[in-house]
Amino acid sequence: QKEVEQDPGPLSVPEGAIVSLNCTYSNSAFQYFMWYRQYSRKGPELLMYTYSSGNKEDGRFTAQVDKSSKYISLFIRDSQPSDSATYLCAMSRRGSTLGRLYFGRGTQLTVWP
Amino acid sequence: DTGVSQNPRHKITKRGQNVTFRCDPISEHNRLYWYRQTLGQGPEFLTYFQNEAQLEKSRLLSDRFSAERPKGSFSTLEIQRTEQGDSAMYLCASGRLRESSYEQYFGPGTRLTVT
């Protein structure tokens, strides 16, 4: 079993929909959580970076962390066709390997007009 | 443009040849990471540098792989005697300290195809 699980989808929604993307993890040492967006054949782009449990909002994006359930989410409001991409969750631990990221396999999202 | 740059963007090579990739990180970031990504998977950690020191290598990094970061600036990743299983996207990330961890910004990647 991988340390970070993410449903690869694909997920297809109409423009304007609220999108919910999720990851679960097994290692309680993970303390830092990130969401990246990756367009086809491009490098991942950092969207959200969170440390504590709870919600963090940035524009149309909200990241949610529930450490007790080992579950993280990304919500996209008023989704746009330009949001069509693969969304990767990533996390890292405290300790000597500071900053090494463990990724989910990504969820492919299509927003159709 | 002050982002992470990688060269070349694409590389096609024959099995058994050596290849070298270059990464130029964001200048004020002192950490540099290498990851490998295969189709349909998330990036997997290979190695990272703090300034010029290579602090950790993944078990994925066989002895055919070597990475350097002379003078703590750009970094190179070399693969010797390439195999078809080395075909992947090689990603470099530049890291800055944030809340006791590192926020990582990725470059566009180098796509390697081994024929």
Side-chain angles (χ1 to χ4, degrees):
Chain A
Q1 183 185 6
K2 294 190 70 172
E3 290 187 271
V4 182
E5 296 284 353
Q6 184 176 12
D7 185 339
L11 184 61
S12 182
V13 301
E15 183 175 357
I18 296 175
V19 176
S20 173
L21 304 165
N22 312 293
C23 287
T24 59
Y25 61 96
S26 56
N27 191 337
S28 57
F30 289 139
Q31 297 291 318
Y32 304 89
F33 305 92
M34 287 130 270
W35 286 94
Y36 285 84
R37 176 174 63 194
Q38 187 173 28
Y39 293 112
S40 181
R41 298 183 176 270
K42 304 290 186 183
E45 172 192 6
L46 182 63
L47 288 177
M48 302 288 280
Y49 179 101
T50 57
Y51 168 62
S52 57
S53 286
N55 293 352
K56 180 177 181 179
E57 189 173 318
D58 184 358
R60 296 185 296 112
F61 299 93
T62 299
Q64 194 172 75
V65 174
D66 182 349
K67 291 184 180 178
S68 63
S69 300
K70 297 188 179 65
Y71 188 88
I72 68 171
S73 300
L74 178 71
F75 298 96
I76 307 174
R77 290 184 300 280
D78 188 25
S79 56
Q80 304 294 311
S82 58
D83 294 328
S84 298
T86 296
Y87 288 80
L88 296 156
C89 65
M91 43 201 81
S92 64
R93 304 180 293 188
R94 292 183 72 87
S96 61
T97 323
L98 228 58
R100 169 183 177 172
L101 294 180
Y102 296 79
F103 282 87
R105 62 182 298 186
T107 299
Q108 185 179 348
L109 170 68
T110 300
V111 181
W112 42 276
Chain B
D1 185 13
T2 57
V4 179
S5 62
Q6 291 187 247
N7 288 288
R9 296 291 308 279
H10 305 275
K11 180 70 177 180
I12 300 174
T13 191
K14 293 184 177 179
R15 188 178 56 183
Q17 298 295 306
N18 299 344
V19 294
T20 300
F21 311 139
R22 175 177 171 130
C23 172
D24 288 89
I26 297 169
S27 58
E28 58 266 31
H29 293 180
N30 62 356
R31 283 233 175 156
L32 187 149
Y33 300 80
W34 285 99
Y35 292 83
R36 181 173 70 186
Q37 185 177 26
T38 54
L39 198 62
Q41 301 297 318
E44 292 180 293
F45 171 80
L46 293 178
T47 188
Y48 83 90
F49 293 84
Q50 170 93 6
N51 300 313
E52 67 274 12
Q54 188 174 16
L55 297 186
E56 185 179 0
K57 294 190 291 186
S58 163
R59 58 181 170 76
L60 292 176
L61 214 66
S62 75
D63 56 6
R64 296 185 298 106
F65 288 70
S66 63
E68 294 182 342
R69 192 183 182 196
K71 303 178 183 178
S73 56
F74 70 92
S75 177
T76 58
L77 178 68
E78 181 183 16
I79 308 174
Q80 296 182 326
R81 306 181 303 281
T82 52
E83 301 173 355
Q84 287 188 321
D86 297 330
S87 295
M89 173 83 94
Y90 289 83
L91 293 161
C92 173
S94 180
R96 70 172 184 179
L97 187 63
R98 179 174 175 180
E99 293 173 330
S100 302
S101 185
Y102 279 82
E103 204 172 55
Q104 296 181 34
Y105 296 87
F106 283 82
T110 294
R111 182 168 297 278
L112 173 67
T113 302
V114 181
T115 62

